[in-house]
Amino acid sequence: MELFLFRYWLYTPVEISKSLRYYQIMNMFNLLLWILAYSLCLIHITLFAIVFLKYKTKTDLYWLIVLSNLFLLTGTIMVLHMFGNADNSSLLLNVLLSVYVTVPLYIYNLFNIKRTYYILIPILVILEALIDNLLILFQHYSLIYVSRSIFYFLLLLPVFCKKKIKPEKGSFLWNIQSMTLKTAIIFIVYMIMLVLFRIFLFSIPYVSSLFWAVFTLTYQIPGLVYCKKRLFQKDALFQKSGMSVLTKRENEVALAICEGYKYEEIAQKLFISLSAVKKHSYNIYRKLSINNNRELIHLFMETKNNSSI
């Protein structure tokens, strides 16, 4: 913009008028797009807060925290663009640190990674912060993306090494893993596009800001679809076919058992104590007149087949 104003004398009055009109239109479009993006962010966070209050699962809580941190990150990017300081890598890094912590916590919880691996998060985050700051100090900006790629690979290594239990299609775990996978794919695609945009297009006025606004809109789509499913689904499959004798919490414990979770994992997943899980499982067996998990799973499959007829 400064270069454009500095070279006023190169243009005829008609050309200047057209250029000013172009900048006014782009400025208005850019503003409207960011208003839409941030409105959607607030709606998304609100919906996830409602989902958490309804189901009270730790996984939903972690994703809510991740969303809030992403909202803060995109807000910082927008403010930097507004004040013409979009390349303030040091400030962005400090905001990114909260994302570096919350995303692995969410992923580890989602895939039931052992607690001993959680120590990797603070160690690798501190190491990455030091490396990033050194690269920024010596202006090796291109190496930052390499550093962050290695950092995330190391953080997610326990997930790749863990033997996974394939969740039942349509279950809570299946839905949230599907949402996470789709969101991750969108992030990867945009990070690849970011490199190309930075090299070829970010020098064009408004392109950088529009890129981040469209990205902010796009990555929320899987989460919004997930919220819709969670808020408008029936309370749970066990509430059908005469099994409404279970309470909401007993219903959640029963579903988790049928999905292959151990009692300790269910306690972590539902944010309750191990003794509470055992008490709920005892009540489930008593109310349904069954003796073990195998009978519960058999009953679950019968209920699912009947409900799909």
Side-chain angles (χ1 to χ4, degrees):
M1 186 64 179
E2 290 81 1
L3 183 63
F4 164 72
L5 294 173
F6 179 71
R7 295 183 176 178
Y8 254 16
W9 60 275
L10 291 175
Y11 297 91
T12 66
V14 174
E15 289 173 328
I16 292 172
S17 177
K18 287 181 179 178
S19 298
L20 283 172
R21 193 178 303 116
Y22 163 77
Y23 278 102
Q24 288 172 348
I25 292 170
M26 288 302 296
N27 191 47
M28 182 59 67
F29 179 72
N30 182 54
L31 179 62
L32 290 174
L33 197 60
W34 271 110
I35 290 172
L36 176 62
Y38 272 83
S39 298
L40 200 63
C41 277
L42 291 172
I43 292 169
H44 197 174
I45 290 171
T46 303
L47 288 175
F48 245 98
I50 295 170
V51 168
F52 170 68
L53 291 172
K54 182 177 180 182
Y55 295 101
K56 291 184 173 61
T57 67
K58 191 161 55 173
T59 306
D60 285 330
L61 176 62
Y62 280 152
W63 182 247
L64 179 61
I65 295 170
V66 169
L67 272 181
S68 302
N69 278 278
L70 289 172
F71 180 75
L72 175 63
L73 175 62
T74 50
T76 304
I77 291 170
M78 185 185 73
V79 170
L80 290 176
H81 278 289
M82 286 174 61
F83 290 96
N85 194 17
D87 293 322
N88 192 328
S89 300
S90 297
L91 179 59
L92 280 177
L93 171 62
N94 290 321
V95 178
L96 270 170
L97 289 178
S98 61
V99 180
Y100 286 170
V101 173
T102 53
V103 170
L105 278 174
Y106 167 73
I107 296 294
Y108 283 20
N109 176 72
L110 183 61
F111 290 97
N112 291 295
I113 303 301
K114 289 182 180 179
R115 288 288 176 181
T116 50
Y117 288 106
Y118 279 56
I119 192 64
L120 284 173
I121 298 174
I123 293 172
L124 289 175
V125 166
I126 291 170
L127 187 62
E128 175 60 18
L130 291 172
I131 292 171
D132 268 20
N133 276 303
L134 286 173
L135 291 173
I136 292 167
L137 181 64
F138 292 104
Q139 299 184 352
H140 295 304
Y141 299 112
S142 57
L143 293 177
I144 292 176
Y145 295 106
V146 178
S147 170
R148 289 175 184 173
S149 299
I150 295 171
F151 161 71
Y152 270 114
F153 173 76
L154 291 174
L155 266 180
L156 296 178
L157 200 57
V159 179
F160 300 138
C161 298
K162 179 178 171 22
K163 186 178 179 181
K164 300 172 184 64
I165 300 171
K166 191 174 181 181
E168 186 74 27
K169 187 174 181 180
S171 66
F172 158 70
L173 191 60
W174 184 88
N175 280 321
I176 200 162
Q177 285 186 358
S178 175
M179 182 271 291
T180 303
L181 179 61
K182 290 172 185 174
T183 306
I185 290 171
I186 290 171
F187 266 81
I188 292 168
V189 169
Y190 269 90
M191 290 308 100
I192 294 170
M193 289 171 59
L194 174 62
V195 176
L196 299 174
F197 270 65
R198 285 188 70 90
I199 295 172
F200 299 108
L201 296 174
F202 271 16
S203 58
I204 301 173
Y206 294 104
V207 168
S208 176
S209 183
L210 291 173
F211 175 89
W212 288 113
V214 173
F215 168 63
T216 304
L217 286 167
T218 309
Y219 81 73
Q220 296 183 85
I221 293 172
L224 289 167
V225 173
Y226 169 82
C227 282
K228 177 180 176 293
K229 286 181 179 179
R230 289 277 277 168
L231 290 173
F232 290 100
Q233 71 182 9
K234 299 295 182 183
D235 275 348
L237 188 60
F238 277 115
Q239 297 294 346
K240 300 175 184 178
S241 303
M243 299 181 72
S244 57
V245 291
L246 301 181
T247 66
K248 182 179 177 181
R249 182 60 82 188
E250 289 167 355
N251 188 28
E252 291 169 347
V253 171
L255 282 171
I257 291 171
C258 291
E259 287 172 355
Y261 287 103
K262 296 177 181 178
Y263 284 173
E264 293 83 359
E265 294 172 333
I266 296 171
Q268 294 177 13
K269 184 182 179 64
L270 299 180
F271 233 172
I272 56 178
S273 66
L274 179 59
S275 59
V277 175
K278 291 179 179 179
K279 181 180 178 182
H280 288 312
S281 63
Y282 170 78
N283 289 334
I284 290 166
Y285 296 150
R286 179 177 56 81
K287 290 181 180 180
L288 299 179
S289 300
I290 56 177
N291 299 311
N292 53 48
N293 290 359
R294 187 173 56 186
E295 291 182 21
L296 179 64
I297 294 170
H298 179 70
L299 196 57
F300 170 83
M301 295 306 298
E302 280 187 353
T303 303
K304 182 177 178 182
N305 292 334
N306 291 336
S307 65
S308 61
I309 295 175

